[in-house]
Amino acid sequence: MDENCLFCKIINKEIPSFIINETKTFITVLDINPANLGHCLIIPKEHVPFSSMITKEVYNEISKEIKRLSVLFLRVLKSRGSSMFIANGGVAGQRVPHCVIHVIPRYLEDGLNLNIQANEISEEEIKEVYAKFITPQKE
Ligand SMILES: [Zn+2]
C-alpha cells in the first residue's frame, strides 16, 4: 500500500469507482477514461510497479479474470473481440507505478488504434537478442 497511489486509493475505496469484481488479490473496475465502452482495469491489490513482481498465484487469478471479462464483453456488450495490455515502466507509457492490466472490448470499426508499428531492427540484431534469450541466464 502506497498512500499516494491512485490505484491503492481505489482498492481502499478512498476514491469511488465502478467495481465489477473483487477478490482477496485483485479488484476489477471500469476505467473512468475509457479507450472504449467497457474498458476494464484489473488492479492487483499488492502495490507493485511491474507485472514481473506479481506472484504466480495472483497471475493465475488475473488470467482467469481476463478470460471472464473477454467472455462478458462478447455476451453482454456484443463486442467482436478484445485487446489487453500492461505498461511496465514510464518508457512503456505507465503513469502510476502500480501495475494494472487493461482489458478493452473491441467493436467493428471502433477507431481505437493499438496497432504496433514495426521498428527498424536488423536481422543481425534479432539473432543477437535470440542468442541472449536462449543462453541460460545467471541468477
Ligand atoms: Zn498502489
Side-chain angles (χ1 to χ4, degrees):
M1 164 79 194
D2 178 331
E3 63 187 24
N4 297 315
C5 172
L6 170 70
F7 294 123
C8 285
K9 286 178 180 173
I10 289 172
I11 291 163
N12 289 321
K13 309 198 174 66
E14 292 167 37
I15 295 175
S17 63
F18 295 99
I19 299 168
I20 61 172
N21 195 13
E22 182 169 11
T23 72
K24 282 183 185 171
T25 58
F26 69 83
I27 188 168
T28 303
V29 299
L30 287 176
D31 194 321
I32 56 164
N33 296 303
N36 248 348
L37 188 63
H39 180 163
C40 289
L41 303 176
I42 303 171
I43 311 170
K45 287 189 172 176
E46 188 181 0
H47 178 85
V48 293
F50 281 29
S51 60
S52 57
M53 299 165 84
I54 297 171
T55 66
K56 190 168 70 178
E57 291 73 23
V58 174
Y59 237 120
N60 286 340
E61 286 192 40
I62 288 172
S63 296
K64 289 177 195 161
E65 179 69 348
I66 290 170
K67 180 176 178 177
R68 192 184 76 84
L69 291 174
S70 302
V71 172
L72 200 65
F73 293 167
L74 294 170
R75 288 189 184 154
V76 176
L77 301 179
K78 308 298 179 201
S79 73
R80 301 295 289 266
S82 55
S83 295
M84 292 137 225
F85 76 88
I86 300 171
N88 280 320
V91 292
Q94 186 178 27
R95 295 189 198 112
V96 177
H98 186 133
C99 178
V100 295
I101 297 88
H102 296 257
V103 191
I104 306 167
R106 300 304 303 267
Y107 308 97
L108 275 179
E109 299 175 11
D110 62 16
L112 182 59
N113 186 0
L114 293 177
N115 296 330
I116 297 170
Q117 303 299 312
N119 219 329
E120 284 188 33
I121 294 173
S122 69
E123 188 177 338
E124 190 173 309
E125 290 172 301
I126 293 170
K127 286 177 180 170
E128 282 175 23
V129 80
Y130 177 70
K132 287 178 187 173
F133 284 170
I134 63 169
T135 303
Q137 304 294 307
K138 290 176 189 161
E139 291 291 322

